[in-house]
Amino acid sequence: MAKKVAQDTDTMRRQGGGNHAVGDVNYQRAPGDPEWEGGLESRYGKAANAFNVYAREHVRGREAGFNTAGDKRYGIGDVSISGAGHFEASDAAGGSGVDSASA
């Protein structure tokens, strides 16, 4: 059994910020390319319409997936950052040495 819980709160905050950064990338990738989608028929003719219908459905699913992934990464980052604050507050209140990773 562990005698002491050692948490490096600065590392927890860095990891939380990293998860927020990944969430931002997911949000940026979500929208797709409306210019490309809008130009399919002009480039490939009416036959491209069936593909365009499929592609639009795919893009909607892709957008939802990237937004969901971004939401999850932001949630993970928020928990990591707030957890660091809770460890520090608990340590300050109780003097338990939770945040001293080297101890």
Side-chain angles (χ1 to χ4, degrees):
M1 180 173 224
K3 294 180 182 177
K4 200 172 212 178
V5 175
Q7 293 293 331
D8 184 357
T9 53
D10 291 334
T11 299
M12 290 174 71
R13 285 190 180 90
R14 264 193 314 279
Q15 289 173 336
N19 277 295
H20 285 170
V22 172
D24 289 339
V25 170
N26 286 329
Y27 290 137
Q28 290 169 0
R29 292 185 66 189
D33 188 355
E35 186 177 321
W36 179 82
E37 293 170 41
L40 275 177
E41 193 170 313
S42 66
R43 285 193 303 273
Y44 302 109
K46 300 274 186 206
N49 187 47
F51 175 76
N52 201 11
V53 169
Y54 165 77
R56 284 190 181 129
E57 287 297 316
H58 174 73
V59 166
R60 278 195 282 273
R62 178 182 182 276
E63 183 174 348
F66 273 114
N67 283 329
T68 299
D71 292 345
K72 288 184 179 189
R73 290 296 257 201
Y74 256 82
I76 291 167
D78 291 345
V79 168
S80 184
I81 291 168
S82 67
H86 287 296
F87 276 126
E88 287 176 341
S90 296
D91 189 45
S96 59
V98 169
D99 69 341
S100 58
S102 62

